Amino acid sequence: SGYARHGESMEAVFADSLREVRALSNGKPVMIAETGTERGRGQATWWRDGMAWAENAGIAAVLCFNIDKTGPDEARWSLSPA
């Protein structure tokens, strides 16, 4: 999954997949197409630290999942006001 449901860092969520993709991509740019962490305390820090990791890892783009899902087992994924 590309989502931090239990406080994992962006690096923890994507590092293994990034290694696998890089092995197949022949140096082409890599993008994370959809990610997020639950709304609330720590969300801004998660994004700040995650974007720093992504930049250092050479990821070309990161797209935010910014929708609150309404199912009984779903979290609020939208960005909190900073």
Side-chain angles (χ1 to χ4, degrees):
S1 153
Y3 299 92
R5 291 190 178 268
H6 305 289
E8 307 92 342
S9 67
M10 191 179 288
E11 180 178 8
V13 172
F14 289 106
D16 290 340
S17 297
L18 180 61
R19 276 191 291 280
E20 292 176 20
V21 168
R22 286 251 163 84
L24 301 171
S25 69
N26 294 323
K28 293 182 181 175
V30 174
M31 162 179 129
I32 295 174
E34 182 178 295
T35 191
T37 190
E38 293 183 47
R39 191 172 186 180
R41 299 184 100 189
Q43 187 185 50
T45 300
W46 187 87
W47 277 104
R48 184 190 63 231
D49 294 349
M51 295 308 294
W53 169 79
E55 182 177 7
N56 289 333
I59 295 171
V62 177
L63 301 179
C64 171
F65 187 79
N66 191 28
I67 296 175
D68 288 334
K69 303 211 59 189
T70 58
D73 295 326
E74 291 294 340
R76 294 184 68 198
W77 298 105
S78 64
L79 294 173
S80 300

